[in-house]
Amino acid sequence: MNSRIKKIASGMFERFRHRKITEAELSQAESKAKNLGSYVSDFKLLIAMCKDAITGKFKMNSWNLSIIIGTIIYVVSPVDAIPDFIAVGGWLDDVAIVAYAIRKLSEEIERYKSERLGWQVNK
């Protein structure tokens, strides 16, 4: 992964480590998911994980939750590395951040799929 994206992601996750996310931001994230190309379902899964963690239906550590919250807020924020109004490029940074979060949370995602969704995970 590009070191610039890593730096943005690390700073963002640290910044949102203790931030609460609103229902409005979660709804906005769901509506913006369609812009993430092949990462739509992954992003929607992160939103579901966030909702379940907040409601206590799924337990995860605060660092992993902060990665999810930071990713969601980054996608819904109009102010990010490349503003979303810029054709194509505006969503590339969002896709990169979602991809980074998916890689960082791969074990947590598999645990969520297994515990919460009842999916059998092949290893």
Side-chain angles (χ1 to χ4, degrees):
M1 167 159 291
N2 169 325
S3 64
R4 184 174 145 266
I5 294 294
K6 266 187 173 174
K7 185 175 180 180
I8 290 169
S10 294
M12 179 185 67
F13 299 143
E14 187 59 40
R15 179 177 166 208
F16 295 115
R17 189 171 178 181
H18 300 289
R19 185 177 183 294
K20 303 268 189 231
I21 192 163
T22 67
E23 188 62 41
E25 289 168 325
L26 289 169
S27 294
Q28 189 178 9
E30 288 175 351
S31 69
K32 288 192 170 199
K34 67 183 179 293
N35 299 310
L36 297 172
S38 63
Y39 286 95
V40 171
S41 60
D42 292 324
F43 187 63
K44 286 184 176 184
L45 183 64
L46 291 180
I47 294 168
M49 289 174 70
C50 183
K51 287 179 177 181
D52 285 347
I54 289 169
T55 60
K57 294 177 183 173
F58 181 70
K59 302 287 184 212
M60 79 172 79
N61 68 46
S62 60
W63 180 251
N64 287 347
L65 183 57
S66 73
I67 291 172
I68 294 172
I69 290 172
T71 300
I72 292 169
I73 291 171
Y74 190 87
V75 169
V76 301
S77 174
V79 180
D80 52 31
I82 304 172
D84 295 341
F85 65 82
I86 296 174
V88 182
W91 286 99
L92 289 178
D93 64 322
D94 294 354
V95 168
I97 293 296
V98 171
Y100 181 78
I102 296 299
R103 278 195 300 281
K104 293 296 278 184
L105 296 169
S106 62
E107 289 180 20
E108 192 77 71
I109 289 169
E110 295 306 317
R111 188 173 69 82
Y112 179 78
K113 287 177 178 178
S114 176
E115 289 180 20
R116 186 75 182 122
L117 303 178
W119 294 358
Q120 194 63 358
V121 179
N122 297 326
K123 291 196 176 197

